[in-house]
Amino acid sequence: MISYMDLIQNCFYSSTKWSWDNTYEHILETPRNLLHFQIPNGFSIIASNRNTKFNYSSINISQIERLEGSLSYLSTSTDLDKYYKPSSTLALNNILQGYRNITKEISHGDTIDHKPFLLYGKIYFPSQFIEGMIIKRFTPNHQLIVKFVNTPKLNKLTQTTSIFTFYLQRQTENSSHDFIYSTREALFGFRCLYHFNLDNSPSTFPINKSTYISSKIRKNYTEMNPSTLSLGCELWYSVGSVSPGVSIASRYTTYIDTMRYLTKSLPSVYSNLNPIKSIQSIPYAISCIHPLTFTFAVNPLLGTFESTYAIRSDAYFKTNSINDPENSQNKLSSYIAKMGIVLSSKYQFNIYSYDSDLIVGAQILRSKLSEVKQNDDERSATKSDTFDGIDKSPKITEDMPHIGKQNVVYKVSDKEYTESNNINLLDVSESFNDSIVGNKTKETNKALSEYKETADEDAYITSLKISGNITKQNMRVAWEGKFYDWFVSSGVSVDMKGLDSGPRILKYGVEFSYIA
Amino acid sequence: MSFKLNWNAIEKDSFSTYTKELLEEALNSGKRPSILSDEIKIIELNFGTIAPNFQILEIGDLGVDKFRGIFQFKYYGDAFITVKTKISASLLKNYNNNIDEKLEFIKPKFIVSDCDFDIPLNLTLSNFQMSSIIIIVFSKSKGLTLVFKNDPLENIDVNSTFDKITPIANFLQKKIESQISDIFKEFLPSLLYKFSLKYTTQSFDQFHKDLLIEEQEDDFNKRKNKILLKELDPENPFRISPGSLMRSTRLSSIRQTLSLGNGIDKLSCDRFNKNIITKAYLNIIINNSNNFSNYNRIDLNEEDFNYGDINDKLGFIKNFQNKAFLKTSNHKPKRRVIKMNVKKKEINESAIIDEEEAVEDNIKSIPMNNSESMSRRLSRRQSSIPSSTSSRRPSTIKRTLQTNEAIKLTTGTSTNDTTNPDEKEIRRRVAKLDRLVEQRKRRLNNNNNNNNNNNNNNNNVVTAPPPYSL
């Protein structure tokens, strides 16, 4: 889970149209989040609050070996209303670190008319360390970040440490450059990153090429390109300790929405009654196209290769089960939920020392289980509305009562999910249908995009991450979730080969976070 | 005073594995320096064949279960230790690790520039040369504490897998030299403390017994003729009373000094050092050898009685005794006077056999000067009755004096009148007495000869008295 400072920084970037992912620093963010995720240490409670429109504060109390804590203050110059939500309405995916869909923020003239800044300061107790950050945007494409830490002299033995780091960043649509300077041992760094859009498919199925979207509106919201190749490199040199460092990395990421793909490519029939063309449910669907991220990084100085692969799949699932005998109506009640799974792996190899490493990880996301209250009439009506050769499962379960109506799980479409979940954005179902047919309005399109985002991502409330290192025989498990208004994060790191006594717990912790 | 250490005892498996474990645990304890990316493992620990040299400078406190002393410690041996670890050669990773781990915020997030890159390192430390003054405090309950008073290390050889790269090899040598003396000062005492706690407090007595058993096994062949202290009291082998400790120290210190058997006349030659002959033994030898018999003795034999030299010899003896007596006292020696031709006493046959007792009675009734020794008493008795039989000294056999004539006992009386019939009677009695004496003597000589023949010794060489055993 990201810290409160990172959350505010994200909201700041979103509201000022700065891309979080468009920097070399975050090129390997997806595999890092899935394989080298952080585990909280000890027991800690974080309470955060938006004091005023521009002021935020957070306090953290934790028990690691002894009672510790920290207090932080943030201040921005822009209003983060649109993006900042308290934890009661904040979705887990904003806090959760996981598979990142690479979005590209497109900035244009009229959105930013001032030079926003963000101030951050934190003090730790009892060690009295101070850290702070200033982010200043002085052109739409240029930004300066200054980070500093200071450790005080508590007794005669300790030395004060004061480190400043300057990041000068420049971002455009297809590239990004960073210049870094740190006062500690005079470290100089340079990073650059370039993106290439690879449209490897005809214009039929990318979502932004649908007929209902006009070109003007297209620029107003985020695009998700089907595939992107990013290439970048970094150069470091520390003058004080004469340490050079070089690395080159590339990332190939695709985003293909399974449902849309299948909608477009599978045969469908328009019926006269209802010109809606939709796929209701695909039982036993083997969706073989999922968003994936493939990265490859090299350190030519030390001769290390690192390649990772991550793939994500999520779908809605519906179960049919016989109702309780108490219910007199004895109708079929079904539960619908969304589940996502992300699998990733990483392979490392060093050509000089022949050290190799294999790490595999998985993330399982689950949403709330919500009951679908349908009566048989409605179901049959919806059934008859559509003619779809694929939609067979309700028929199957009804025709074959002897199989048992309990545990058939099958995927459902977005439409059915949103219908049953009563997502309260707009009248989504109708707007969805309208848009398919061809009625296009700016609002619906916006609603569509927003709906898509939120419906896709906001659904999850729990996430379980597992990652195991094969050669070092470490295993990390992290469970994160939203529990009423609290975000809970817990984790444990186990050393499987241990000493003589078997598995040994290296690190464990629980963290509770509340955002007001 | 220095010690001889049984350094081979250290080569036992259990001890060396225990030490290796302790050493590994100590090396890996605490926060690992960021340059090492793996724990330190000991591949080999060899104590070498040469023992360190301890010399006692001072002993402060000595008790049954505690001990404190200052020693001089020298070690010029061939012990060596080989350790294995991994060094992180990823420079930017070391850069990040050198920043305090709480300052994660400021650490630059390197992308693969800080990947792991470990170089294994084998390090061998050998050829230790150490010399120092150490203070050892040992107590049964608290174990052993060792403190180095000064820097012990004089030389150490460092060999590693980086030997071919001279700058790194030099750096390692300097670094280790500067650190190793700190390690010795801190680490060795704690190691010995833990070791001592393990081996002594649990079973102090058992420890002693183990030590004794080892010693016995090693030196069994060398110690055939010696009796060990533990044989006196196997249960408490080192428990020796202060009195007997003093006696045995006195005995052993006597051996080391120049005085020979001073006052201890039973002690013959030193069995441990055959070059030393005590005075008592020498006297015995001389007294029993025929060759030297004329030097210190005056024999009164039969011819003297026949040809009249007895008077001169007796006079000589008398003068000698007077001189010896007069050295220590101021008045004249009192001599017993037996008057001849006294009619009161009648000498009869039966009285001859009892004569020894009569002589004894006489001796007892003689008022004697207290300063006279037993030897003088005997010699007086001998001069009063020259026909003494076997000597009062139990371990020596002397040739007896033989006299045929009556005894002239007073100092001035002449012994020349022979025509008295009483004197004839006396002479006859005395002759008979002599014959008896001679028979007894012959018997004894025969026994002595038999003994000598059995021992394959010369007749005249006296056997050594049974020795004192220590």
Side-chain angles (χ1 to χ4, degrees):
Chain A
M1 290 213 307
I2 61 177
S3 64
Y4 188 66
M5 185 269 290
D6 285 325
L7 174 68
I8 301 294
Q9 193 177 355
N10 266 342
C11 298
F12 178 75
Y13 281 177
S14 308
S15 78
T16 56
K17 307 282 187 294
W18 185 269
S19 168
W20 174 266
D21 290 310
N22 190 11
T23 171
Y24 187 78
E25 193 174 330
H26 298 130
I27 191 173
L28 297 184
E29 198 75 0
T30 298
R32 287 218 172 155
N33 289 341
L34 296 167
L35 301 167
H36 303 289
F37 46 86
Q38 281 180 353
I39 291 187
N41 204 2
F43 175 79
S44 64
I45 295 180
I46 306 172
S48 322
N49 183 33
R50 186 182 187 186
N51 305 326
T52 71
K53 209 159 84 162
F54 300 109
N55 235 349
Y56 308 83
S57 62
S58 167
I59 185 166
N60 171 13
I61 296 175
S62 63
Q63 164 79 30
I64 301 174
E65 291 154 16
R66 51 179 187 172
L67 199 63
E68 288 172 353
S70 67
L71 181 61
S72 68
Y73 287 97
L74 292 126
S75 165
T76 66
S77 66
T78 58
D79 189 3
L80 302 180
D81 250 346
K82 262 193 315 189
Y83 299 93
Y84 179 84
K85 292 190 184 64
S87 61
S88 48
T89 51
L90 189 63
L92 182 68
N93 68 292
N94 295 324
I95 300 278
L96 194 63
Q97 286 168 315
Y99 185 91
R100 293 199 69 80
N101 289 316
I102 308 303
T103 64
K104 281 176 31 171
E105 298 282 345
I106 301 165
S107 62
H108 47 91
D110 50 2
T111 50
I112 301 172
D113 46 7
H114 57 280
K115 296 184 170 50
F117 63 86
L118 179 129
L119 303 173
Y120 162 73
K122 187 171 190 179
I123 181 164
Y124 291 89
F125 297 105
S127 55
Q128 291 181 16
F129 289 172
I130 291 180
E131 65 186 33
M133 181 171 70
I134 302 170
I135 305 179
K136 173 78 180 155
R137 179 87 46 80
F138 44 87
T139 76
N141 292 336
H142 294 82
Q143 168 172 286
L144 174 70
I145 303 180
V146 179
K147 290 190 183 176
F148 62 89
V149 292
N150 184 48
T151 59
K153 186 170 180 145
L154 290 174
N155 51 34
K156 282 186 188 167
L157 296 174
T158 56
Q159 298 285 331
T160 60
T161 312
S162 215
I163 306 175
F164 278 81
T165 309
F166 299 89
Y167 298 78
L168 182 62
Q169 299 175 332
R170 176 179 161 267
Q171 263 193 11
T172 63
E173 187 184 336
N174 284 329
S175 70
S176 143
H177 299 92
D178 297 346
F179 297 89
I180 300 131
Y181 171 71
S182 172
T183 57
R184 183 185 155 86
E185 291 174 13
L187 178 74
F188 288 92
F190 168 71
R191 291 166 161 161
C192 61
L193 185 67
Y194 299 94
H195 307 282
F196 307 100
N197 289 331
L198 305 174
D199 272 345
N200 55 356
S201 56
S203 58
T204 46
F205 68 91
I207 51 161
N208 53 352
K209 299 271 178 75
S210 301
T211 53
Y212 54 83
I213 297 169
S214 70
S215 57
K216 195 172 85 174
I217 297 161
R218 185 176 161 186
K219 285 184 189 170
N220 277 351
Y221 57 91
T222 62
E223 280 185 358
M224 292 195 190
N225 290 317
S227 61
T228 314
L229 176 68
S230 312
L231 263 177
C233 77
E234 69 175 5
L235 297 163
W236 295 92
Y237 185 67
S238 163
V239 179
S241 62
V242 192
S243 321
V246 183
S247 85
I248 304 168
S250 67
R251 172 187 65 196
Y252 175 72
T253 169
T254 68
Y255 178 77
I256 297 176
D257 185 10
T258 315
M259 285 300 170
R260 302 293 167 264
Y261 173 75
L262 288 171
T263 309
K264 297 291 177 184
S265 61
L266 290 174
S268 58
V269 173
Y270 283 94
S271 86
N272 294 329
L273 289 173
N274 196 335
I276 296 170
K277 178 187 73 171
S278 65
I279 298 174
Q280 282 282 11
S281 311
I282 306 169
Y284 318 122
I286 304 169
S287 311
C288 51
I289 302 167
H290 299 281
L292 58 88
T293 302
F294 175 71
T295 70
F296 183 77
V298 178
N299 184 335
L301 266 187
L302 299 177
T304 304
F305 295 87
E306 202 180 274
S307 76
T308 72
Y309 181 78
I311 189 164
R312 178 182 175 148
S313 157
D314 44 10
Y316 304 100
F317 292 90
K318 178 174 176 184
T319 78
N320 279 333
S321 61
I322 294 182
N323 216 355
D324 298 328
E326 297 164 2
N327 197 337
S328 59
Q329 287 185 343
N330 197 19
K331 62 180 176 185
L332 226 60
S333 75
S334 39
Y335 294 92
I336 199 162
K338 184 170 180 184
M339 197 164 132
I341 182 159
V342 185
L343 296 168
S344 68
S345 66
K346 174 173 169 183
Y347 182 70
Q348 255 179 338
F349 183 71
N350 188 308
I351 59 172
Y352 298 126
S353 72
Y354 298 144
D355 273 336
S356 63
D357 212 356
L358 177 67
I359 309 171
V360 290
Q363 182 187 20
I364 300 170
L365 299 144
R366 282 172 43 191
S367 72
K368 283 189 290 198
L369 205 63
S370 60
E371 190 171 347
V372 176
K373 290 193 175 62
Q374 291 178 345
N375 42 11
D376 292 334
D377 301 333
E378 200 180 307
R379 281 183 57 75
S380 53
T382 48
K383 230 179 16 173
S384 62
D385 282 342
T386 67
F387 168 71
D388 198 304
I390 299 172
D391 178 21
K392 285 190 178 65
S393 92
K395 277 189 202 160
I396 291 175
T397 53
E398 286 181 2
D399 289 347
M400 293 189 283
H402 61 277
I403 285 181
K405 297 173 186 172
Q406 262 95 2
N407 298 322
V408 178
V409 179
Y410 53 93
K411 285 173 120 178
V412 299
S413 64
D414 290 343
K415 169 173 173 277
E416 199 173 342
Y417 178 73
T418 53
E419 275 173 10
S420 32
N421 255 10
N422 299 327
I423 288 185
N424 221 357
L425 287 175
L426 289 171
D427 195 2
V428 269
S429 54
E430 285 177 343
S431 63
F432 183 89
N433 293 337
D434 293 337
S435 51
I436 293 290
V437 168
N439 294 336
K440 44 188 186 289
T441 56
K442 186 174 175 178
E443 289 79 19
T444 54
N445 293 333
K446 192 166 183 187
L448 167 68
S449 64
E450 282 183 12
Y451 145 72
K452 251 208 57 51
E453 284 172 31
T454 52
D456 275 353
E457 303 299 333
D458 282 1
Y460 296 124
I461 56 164
T462 69
S463 140
L464 176 71
K465 286 191 218 168
I466 304 173
S467 136
N469 188 326
I470 306 292
T471 45
K472 290 181 191 149
Q473 294 184 354
N474 274 351
M475 194 172 85
R476 305 161 77 98
V477 178
W479 184 90
E480 285 143 326
K482 188 173 172 190
F483 186 68
Y484 290 112
D485 289 344
W486 289 77
F487 289 106
V488 181
S489 158
S490 63
V492 67
S493 158
V494 178
D495 183 9
M496 300 303 275
K497 84 178 156 192
L499 295 170
D500 303 320
S501 54
R504 188 168 62 108
I505 293 184
L506 297 172
K507 195 175 168 190
Y508 60 94
V510 177
E511 190 179 279
F512 294 92
S513 171
Y514 181 78
I515 303 173
Chain B
M1 212 157 83
S2 56
F3 291 83
K4 178 180 152 222
L5 283 178
N6 188 4
W7 201 237
N8 294 330
I10 282 189
E11 288 301 319
K12 281 205 182 133
D13 279 340
S14 69
F15 178 79
S16 62
T17 47
Y18 177 69
T19 319
K20 267 191 212 176
E21 280 168 18
L22 264 190
L23 198 59
E24 260 187 30
E25 194 185 310
L27 287 173
N28 289 322
S29 70
K31 193 161 179 299
R32 192 190 301 164
S34 58
I35 193 91
L36 298 179
S37 60
D38 191 13
E39 56 185 13
I40 301 176
K41 292 194 189 79
I42 297 183
I43 299 179
E44 194 180 346
L45 176 62
N46 188 330
F47 286 98
T49 52
I50 302 174
N53 191 2
F54 288 92
Q55 220 177 335
I56 299 185
L57 297 178
E58 187 185 317
I59 295 192
D61 196 9
L62 183 62
V64 176
D65 56 355
K66 60 179 172 12
F67 167 77
R68 183 195 161 92
I70 302 181
F71 294 79
Q72 167 151 42
F73 165 74
K74 281 197 184 134
Y75 182 73
Y76 298 108
D78 55 349
F80 64 91
I81 179 171
T82 308
V83 297
K84 174 178 90 157
T85 180
K86 282 195 186 145
I87 302 271
S88 169
S90 170
L91 298 165
L92 290 179
K93 182 174 169 212
N94 295 344
Y95 173 92
N96 257 352
N97 286 343
N98 284 337
I99 303 177
D100 193 347
E101 62 176 37
K102 289 188 192 147
L103 303 176
E104 282 288 335
F105 181 69
I106 203 71
K107 285 185 186 174
K109 293 182 182 50
F110 300 110
I111 307 288
V112 192
S113 302
D114 63 343
C115 58
D116 292 342
F117 190 67
D118 300 331
I119 302 178
L121 171 71
N122 279 16
L123 194 69
T124 305
L125 305 175
S126 62
N127 197 13
F128 294 92
Q129 286 177 3
M130 297 194 283
S131 163
S132 167
I133 310 248
I134 55 176
I135 299 178
I136 293 187
V137 178
F138 175 74
S139 82
K140 188 170 170 179
S141 54
K142 293 184 208 152
L144 182 94
T145 313
L146 184 147
V147 177
F148 285 95
K149 280 278 238 188
N150 56 345
D151 184 11
L153 195 70
E154 286 172 4
N155 178 47
I156 188 170
D157 281 356
V158 175
N159 290 314
S160 67
T161 43
F162 289 119
D163 277 349
K164 295 201 181 127
I165 306 171
T166 337
I168 298 184
N170 290 342
F171 169 75
L172 275 177
Q173 174 88 24
K174 280 201 201 84
K175 195 86 178 155
I176 287 179
E177 272 172 5
S178 68
Q179 298 276 343
I180 200 86
S181 49
D182 290 336
I183 291 177
F184 263 106
K185 280 191 195 170
E186 277 173 28
F187 170 72
L188 195 67
S190 65
L191 174 72
L192 283 174
Y193 175 69
K194 283 189 195 142
F195 176 71
S196 70
L197 283 180
K198 178 184 175 220
Y199 273 94
T200 61
T201 55
Q202 284 163 11
S203 59
F204 204 50
D205 295 333
Q206 182 65 33
F207 179 58
H208 278 156
K209 281 179 191 159
D210 289 343
L211 271 186
L212 289 175
I213 289 170
E214 283 180 31
E215 258 193 9
Q216 198 181 28
E217 286 166 5
D218 288 340
D219 296 337
F220 183 64
N221 291 329
K222 294 184 212 162
R223 288 179 190 248
K224 270 193 193 120
N225 296 326
K226 296 182 185 173
I227 293 177
L228 304 175
L229 258 181
K230 71 170 192 175
E231 289 171 16
L232 296 176
D233 183 4
E235 241 87 89
N236 292 310
F238 290 115
R239 183 126 340 135
I240 183 168
S241 77
S244 40
L245 186 63
M246 275 197 44
R247 267 178 246 127
S248 28
T249 49
R250 185 157 161 261
L251 282 173
S252 57
S253 67
I254 281 165
R255 283 211 289 280
Q256 323 256 332
T257 64
L258 292 176
S259 68
L260 304 174
N262 207 5
I264 306 175
D265 34 14
K266 299 295 180 223
L267 194 65
S268 70
C269 70
D270 191 344
R271 293 181 65 247
F272 303 116
N273 191 346
K274 303 239 181 335
N275 294 327
I276 295 176
I277 298 179
T278 59
K279 190 162 84 174
Y281 187 51
L282 192 61
N283 281 338
I284 293 164
I285 292 175
I286 290 174
N287 287 337
N288 284 305
S289 75
N290 284 327
N291 296 334
F292 300 125
S293 61
N294 293 327
Y295 292 159
N296 277 340
R297 283 212 206 126
I298 296 177
D299 283 340
L300 296 175
N301 50 18
E302 196 172 330
E303 288 138 15
D304 291 331
F305 279 100
N306 290 334
Y307 298 114
D309 275 343
I310 189 83
N311 198 18
D312 294 335
K313 284 195 178 171
L314 276 180
F316 180 76
I317 292 171
K318 181 195 74 177
N319 287 334
F320 191 78
Q321 283 181 342
N322 282 344
K323 274 187 215 159
F325 184 73
L326 284 172
K327 275 183 200 167
T328 56
S329 72
N330 294 326
H331 53 87
K332 271 174 65 176
K334 224 173 167 186
R335 293 218 175 248
R336 199 167 62 119
V337 173
I338 297 180
K339 294 203 165 107
M340 307 296 291
N341 297 330
V342 173
K343 281 185 184 161
K344 268 193 229 176
K345 283 187 180 174
E346 282 195 355
I347 300 169
N348 47 4
E349 295 283 337
S350 60
I352 292 171
I353 297 162
D354 296 332
E355 191 146 18
E356 291 182 36
E357 289 142 12
V359 169
E360 279 188 52
D361 290 338
N362 284 336
I363 287 174
K364 283 180 199 155
S365 63
I366 295 170
M368 285 216 274
N369 201 341
N370 286 334
S371 64
E372 286 183 1
S373 68
M374 190 61 171
S375 57
R376 286 215 190 94
R377 273 185 239 150
L378 289 172
S379 64
R380 257 165 112 251
R381 190 177 72 82
Q382 280 168 1
S383 65
S384 62
I385 302 178
S387 63
S388 67
T389 58
S390 59
S391 156
R392 292 284 156 174
R393 296 189 191 190
S395 60
T396 58
I397 299 172
K398 278 190 171 227
R399 287 174 59 175
T400 58
L401 296 174
Q402 294 186 4
T403 59
N404 288 331
E405 291 192 309
I407 303 154
K408 297 290 169 68
L409 302 176
T410 62
T411 57
T413 44
S414 64
T415 56
N416 281 332
D417 35 294
T418 56
T419 55
N420 203 333
D422 290 332
E423 284 186 358
K424 268 190 197 160
E425 182 64 32
I426 288 169
R427 260 189 217 153
R428 204 164 24 92
R429 305 276 186 225
V430 167
K432 195 166 184 183
L433 199 63
D434 284 340
R435 254 178 270 128
L436 282 172
V437 162
E438 207 176 355
Q439 272 173 19
R440 196 178 285 185
K441 183 193 147 201
R442 228 182 284 125
R443 239 183 284 131
L444 283 169
N445 266 344
N446 285 340
N447 285 342
N448 201 15
N449 285 340
N450 289 338
N451 286 340
N452 284 343
N453 288 337
N454 289 339
N455 285 340
N456 285 334
N457 282 339
N458 197 355
N459 278 346
N460 292 331
V461 173
V462 80
T463 56
Y468 272 71
S469 38
L470 283 172

